[in-house]
Amino acid sequence: MTMDVASEAALFSGLVRECAAAGIGRCVLLLRLSSLPRALRRPQLLRLARDAIEPLAQSDRARVFRLPGDDLAVVWRGDAAGALDAAIAALTRLIESDDSPAVPAPWALFRLPGDADALLALISPPASATTSPATATPSGELDSAALAALETALATVDVSRFVRRRGVHVAGPDASFRLRWERRFLSITELSEALSPDRAVRGDPWLFRRLTRTLDQRMLALLSASHELRDAGPFSIGLNVASILSPGFLRFDAALPAALRGHVILELRPPDVLGDAAAFVFARDFARARGYRLLLCGLGVEFLAVFPLDRMGLDLVALRWSDRLNEVEDIGPDAARCLLRDVDTREALTWARARGVGFVQGRAIDPG
Amino acid sequence: MAADQFLEAVRRALRHGATQVGVGPQPAGGGIVALVLHLSSLRPPAPRPHHRRVARVILQDVAARHAGQVFAFANGDIALLCEASGLHETGRGQTVREASAGDPAGLPSLLVAALTRLLRIDTIDPAGLISVWPLGTDHAPLLAYATARAEERVVAPPPDDEPAMHPGVADEIGTLIGKAHIHDLMQRQTAVALRPPRDRALQDRAIRPIFCEVAFSIAALTARTGGAHAGSDPFLFRHIAAQLDRRMLDFVADQQGLAAARGAPPLHLNLTLGAILSPSFAAFAAACRAAGATAGVEVSLIEASADSRAFAAARTAVMRAGMALALDGVSHLAMLLAAPWLLETDLLKLDWSPRLEDLPDSDRRDMAAAIQATGAHRIVLQRAGSEAAIQWGLALGIRRFQGRHIDAMLGASRIVGCALSSACALRQCIERGGAIGPAGRAGCGNPALLDAAVPSLAWQNAGSPAQPIRRPLPLAPHLTPLRAEAAALS
């Protein structure tokens, strides 16, 4: 049984106090991923960071503690300068990149017992965070065994309570917005809390991509139920190419009310499209013949030119808002067919308007 | 079963003057038409289960509106037998122009158009996969076809679904690489630059090794995991790759023979973005520098496309390490659909496919343009398993190649120059040339020649695989700034 994060954090502060009280010499590298800007906090960052500190974790008496908010602490004894150097170099590569302003390094080194007070001041969270199980973060990543278990569990669970909808709006000429379609998706956060509370299902991006195939089938089954789409308006769903070619999609297609045909958008992702390009082209042509429109999502702004919509035979492309988009002046010829997600601030909305972005989604337009 | 029913239905329709399919309510008037989709004529890997599934749905859709019936045969073909009249209507409120003069039954132009459009990705002549036989006219070919299907004895019908790879295989492989001698799971392959006679002076070599790729052998992994094809699920395989490449980096960096690679063509390693951004890569780069060996890194297009920021960081890390970066696994479809050359890698490894020989004209033009946009000099045509691949590449200005045909060329040149070659067949020399572990090289009496075109790593010294690398690294220069940051944080 894996220990939860709150328990590990408590154990860690206990160890720090013990070192201080007994005068035991230890080094601590505190890695505060939670202090990084949101744009840098990619889903796999925690895993990459764990890999980066691996040399330290092999030092004498070394132990890694997980702390709330994806923070980590490594404790070891004695001099491990070589390993520390390798870990810091790897961490530096993780957070630096050519296209974003430098961020302060989110790590700090402490020597116990001398630095114990400073360290304790940093890691002592509000009382509720360590005691309430509701705020405990997942303690482990999704591994292949957990993935297999989750796939089995998903086959029988009623996922309807995890379905969420978000409005996608089109900008009118007079600063107004009209709802154009709704994005329907399963809340991965809530679903994993319910089914796999001790695993970060997005921790390994490739195992998560694999999991989405099972999620696709559950979503398609849900939407194929006779009552589900009776009064539905235009909507979009994310699917894998293999899912579009599956019996589940064919059943969904057969059950789709006539009024909705031509008003459903399927969202695809680049690695999936390229993973089996022949199947993608077949699925694309089939879906378009059946009246679906296709949207490419999950790509960074720097890849817009790598996946031109017309060349791909797709209709729309989606980007996520992040601060670094501020540096992008022109998003190219596909701007009018671009959807900007996470438009939660006026800044994002202003950016979208100035670049001629066709569709927006986020709390700045739709507080619900 | 379906074939017997089809033959019976055809005979019945003929008995009724070709006006009734024989099932359901029959509208009066109009002839019966049979449409056969010869999916069994597609070239492997097609037809895949989705071809049959989707085609069946399309034909059933038509059957439902035209008092028809669909038959799926054991050889993978699918037939539709239905009322011909009104088939030019699509049933979705659209109509198309009347059938052309060459289409005697007023036939299903939209249906044929829809099917040919769908199948053009899998064959150059999708129309050739479709037979339309109106029953009222010459029905001999239809009867012959139906009889052939009914008499056919197929041992196993085509599968309804491609076998899914169970996530447990990833664990098996993880365990395997922890236990096995890692060099037995790896292979190497030399890429070369070819110079056609018109491009070179008399004294230039026609074939020059440019790098040697070291990679895990999918075949070796598959053989050790109970036959579950290790590469069949691209997502699961990327997950497995992340486990594999750390081990490979540590293994290669730890080889004493790296020093012997000085002056040899660079080693190329296929890595995940996570591995490039890990300390193992930094250690590998340092080991290469210390040994004076050159190396290159290959990143698959799928891997790159999943995370643009990690890709940018990895490209920078590889560049700073003084290595070349190759974009690996670029299919010709990826070249036609996307613009992978904009990822600005030093090399782009294009997968050879026999489909490239018979692309439709528009795709042929687009492919030539994509190669020009990339720069033919940056392209390595890989999986070049035949003379045709080499000829295709050379005609488009590509000069760099990798694949089994190149292995054979290098093997043949070794055989010619080897005093002990009478003991070996060319095939053995080729296989041994690709092996890394001693088991795969056993039988060669001239290992120096076996390694002559490639960096000769001291693979035979490879010890127990579970040893992490331990080499002295400079003292941490970051300690002082860290103390300052710690103070700032508190």
Side-chain angles (χ1 to χ4, degrees):
Chain A
M1 176 80 192
T2 323
M3 197 187 294
D4 68 39
V5 172
S7 312
E8 282 200 37
L11 208 62
F12 175 61
S13 26
L15 181 105
V16 175
R17 288 195 183 89
E18 199 183 310
C19 289
I24 300 168
R26 288 284 187 276
C27 292
V28 178
L29 181 71
L30 180 65
L31 185 54
R32 305 218 305 172
L33 297 180
S34 57
S35 70
L36 283 173
R38 193 173 160 194
L40 279 173
R41 300 192 62 191
R42 285 163 285 143
Q44 66 272 39
L45 186 65
L46 178 62
R47 181 173 59 90
L48 296 173
R50 288 196 77 115
D51 288 346
I53 58 170
E54 185 56 29
L56 273 181
Q58 292 180 15
S59 305
D60 186 29
R61 304 281 175 94
R63 178 150 183 205
V64 180
F65 294 92
R66 288 160 307 129
L67 306 177
D70 284 356
D71 289 353
L72 292 167
V74 201
V75 185
W76 71 96
R77 185 175 77 164
D79 182 32
L84 180 62
D85 187 49
I88 297 293
L91 288 168
T92 308
R93 278 193 300 277
L94 267 189
I95 63 160
E96 75 176 0
S97 84
D98 293 339
D99 58 351
S100 64
V103 294
W107 52 79
L109 184 76
F110 299 87
R111 287 190 191 281
L112 301 179
D115 296 342
D117 287 347
L119 179 55
L120 284 169
L122 270 179
I123 60 167
S124 296
S128 62
T130 49
T131 52
S132 162
T135 57
T137 48
S139 60
E141 274 184 14
L142 193 63
D143 57 21
S144 49
L147 171 69
L150 199 49
E151 284 181 349
T152 310
L154 271 169
T156 50
V157 76
D158 173 18
V159 295
S160 58
R161 65 194 159 111
F162 303 115
V163 175
R164 299 289 174 270
R165 302 182 195 183
R166 295 282 180 272
V168 172
H169 296 78
V170 60
D174 53 348
S176 66
F177 291 96
R178 266 183 308 119
L179 179 69
R180 193 59 176 272
W181 74 83
E182 275 186 325
R183 180 167 175 250
R184 292 178 177 231
F185 59 98
L186 294 171
S187 165
I188 302 299
T189 313
E190 291 173 36
L191 203 138
S192 57
E193 269 170 18
L195 295 182
S196 188
D198 59 342
R199 301 284 177 177
V201 294
R202 288 182 188 271
D204 183 308
W206 296 109
L207 289 184
F208 179 69
R209 290 299 329 145
R210 152 94 186 200
L211 180 67
T212 58
R213 287 201 209 134
T214 309
L215 297 175
D216 288 355
Q217 292 307 320
R218 301 299 294 144
M219 189 66 163
L220 287 169
L222 207 61
L223 294 174
S224 306
S226 56
H227 58 278
E228 186 64 28
L229 295 175
R230 197 182 298 145
D231 304 315
F235 67 92
S236 72
I237 46 170
L239 288 179
N240 287 283
V241 167
S243 303
I244 296 178
L245 298 171
S246 72
F249 182 81
L250 300 177
R251 280 192 291 273
F252 160 78
D253 180 66
L256 189 70
L260 274 176
R261 195 164 292 281
H263 300 284
V264 178
I265 297 168
L266 309 179
E267 304 169 9
L268 300 168
R269 289 173 176 269
D272 178 47
V273 163
L274 295 173
D276 189 347
F280 159 69
V281 173
F282 188 87
R284 177 195 71 190
D285 291 347
F286 169 61
R288 292 178 69 112
R290 300 296 252 202
Y292 298 93
R293 286 194 296 158
L294 299 168
L295 177 148
L296 190 67
C297 62
L299 74 170
V301 67
E302 50 279 87
F303 278 5
L304 271 183
V306 181
F307 299 100
L309 286 180
D310 288 334
R311 195 173 171 89
M312 302 279 293
L314 300 174
D315 303 285
L316 299 156
V317 63
L319 294 177
R320 270 184 196 288
W321 169 255
S322 75
D323 292 341
R324 65 199 175 98
L325 282 184
N326 272 320
E327 290 157 32
V328 179
E329 286 304 321
D330 182 7
I331 56 171
D334 294 334
R337 296 189 287 166
C338 178
L339 155 64
L340 186 65
R341 288 183 176 153
D342 292 349
V343 180
D344 298 338
T345 59
R346 181 159 290 282
E347 180 192 20
L349 196 56
T350 306
W351 185 91
R353 281 191 175 285
R355 305 308 185 275
V357 167
F359 307 91
V360 285
Q361 175 201 325
R363 287 197 292 274
I365 307 100
D366 183 9
Chain B
M1 186 66 171
D4 295 337
Q5 291 170 353
F6 180 59
L7 181 60
E8 178 52 33
V10 169
R11 285 181 177 148
R12 192 163 53 231
L14 289 171
R15 278 199 300 276
H16 287 86
T19 57
Q20 281 190 7
V21 174
V23 290
Q26 300 297 319
I32 300 295
V33 67
L35 182 146
V36 174
L37 189 55
H38 303 271
L39 289 178
S40 61
S41 303
L42 283 171
R43 226 190 315 183
R48 292 163 61 181
H50 67 244
H51 290 111
R52 288 187 284 277
R53 204 153 45 217
V54 169
R56 202 182 314 175
V57 163
I58 291 171
L59 294 181
Q60 270 164 350
D61 216 32
V62 178
R65 293 196 308 273
H66 295 278
Q69 198 174 356
V70 173
F71 305 85
F73 304 129
N75 75 341
D77 289 359
I78 304 178
L80 163 73
L81 205 57
C82 72
E83 274 280 328
S85 64
L87 256 188
H88 53 284
E89 293 173 5
T90 69
R92 298 209 188 282
Q94 302 161 285
T95 53
V96 290
R97 58 184 167 73
E98 287 294 324
S100 66
D103 202 349
L107 235 201
S109 39
L110 193 83
L111 177 58
V112 171
L115 291 171
T116 49
R117 180 174 165 75
L118 210 49
L119 290 165
R120 68 194 168 138
I121 186 65
D122 295 295
T123 171
I124 190 174
D125 179 25
L129 293 178
I130 302 168
S131 296
V132 177
W133 286 308
L135 266 64
T137 55
D138 179 16
H139 53 255
L142 171 62
L143 261 182
Y145 175 84
T147 308
R149 292 288 76 71
E151 288 174 354
E152 198 165 47
R153 288 290 160 258
V154 179
V155 179
D160 270 344
D161 225 330
E162 283 166 346
M165 182 172 160
H166 191 268
V169 174
D171 279 344
E172 276 183 53
I173 291 175
T175 312
L176 191 67
I177 58 171
K179 276 190 197 156
H181 278 295
I182 197 162
H183 49 229
D184 288 336
L185 302 176
M186 287 162 53
Q187 62 191 9
R188 63 182 187 180
Q189 193 170 50
T190 301
V192 300
L194 295 184
R195 282 192 180 178
R198 64 176 182 276
D199 287 5
R200 63 184 150 103
L202 209 57
Q203 69 275 17
D204 285 348
R205 291 167 67 190
I207 175 166
R208 178 173 55 88
I210 50 171
F211 62 81
C212 173
E213 182 183 352
V214 177
F216 275 91
S217 158
I218 300 290
L221 291 172
T222 300
R224 286 168 172 79
T225 51
H229 182 42
S232 63
D233 181 325
F235 298 153
L236 219 42
F237 183 68
R238 294 314 313 161
H239 166 74
I240 294 167
Q243 297 175 283
L244 296 178
D245 58 11
R246 302 303 147 87
R247 287 284 294 119
M248 182 159 69
L249 270 177
D250 291 351
F251 170 70
V252 176
D254 216 22
Q255 291 300 304
Q256 299 155 2
L258 208 51
R262 189 182 293 128
L267 273 181
H268 269 213
L269 302 187
N270 207 311
L271 297 178
T272 59
L273 298 178
I276 297 171
L277 298 170
S278 76
S280 296
F281 179 70
F284 168 67
C288 286
R289 269 194 303 276
T294 52
V297 173
E298 303 190 357
V299 171
S300 85
L301 175 58
I302 300 182
E303 177 89 11
S305 73
D307 188 339
S308 58
R309 292 175 62 73
F311 176 73
R315 191 174 52 194
T316 306
V318 172
M319 196 179 71
R320 285 185 187 161
M323 297 181 186
L325 181 64
L327 190 64
D328 188 30
V330 183
S331 67
H332 73 277
L333 286 174
M335 289 288 266
L336 293 171
L337 289 166
W341 55 88
L342 294 179
L343 296 178
E344 293 177 351
T345 52
D346 301 295
L347 294 171
L348 184 150
K349 298 183 78 175
L350 173 63
D351 292 342
W352 163 254
S353 157
R355 282 299 308 272
L356 284 166
E357 284 181 280
D358 54 12
L359 286 178
D361 284 344
S362 62
D363 285 354
R364 196 186 298 270
R365 281 192 298 274
D366 289 349
M367 196 66 210
I371 288 169
Q372 196 177 11
T374 309
H377 63 284
R378 284 167 65 199
I379 294 180
V380 180
L381 188 65
Q382 64 176 353
R383 302 187 183 186
S386 64
E387 179 70 27
I390 312 290
Q391 294 302 343
W392 182 88
L394 288 174
L396 283 158
I398 295 171
R399 296 290 178 266
R400 295 163 192 252
F401 298 89
Q402 184 182 345
R404 295 195 66 81
H405 195 70
I406 301 298
D407 298 345
M409 289 166 74
L410 293 173
S413 65
R414 284 195 300 269
I415 290 272
V416 168
C418 179
L420 303 170
S421 66
S422 58
C424 314
L426 173 61
R427 184 181 51 79
Q428 289 173 315
C429 191
I430 293 169
E431 281 169 9
R432 290 168 190 156
I436 285 176
R441 297 158 62 92
C444 176
N446 196 351
L449 186 62
L450 205 57
D451 291 333
V454 294
S456 57
L457 289 156
W459 307 109
Q460 61 273 24
N461 294 335
S464 159
Q467 295 295 318
I469 51 162
R470 287 268 176 239
R471 69 182 68 255
L473 286 163
L475 285 174
H478 303 280
L479 279 176
T480 318
L482 268 173
R483 301 277 295 180
E485 277 155 21
L489 272 170
S490 53

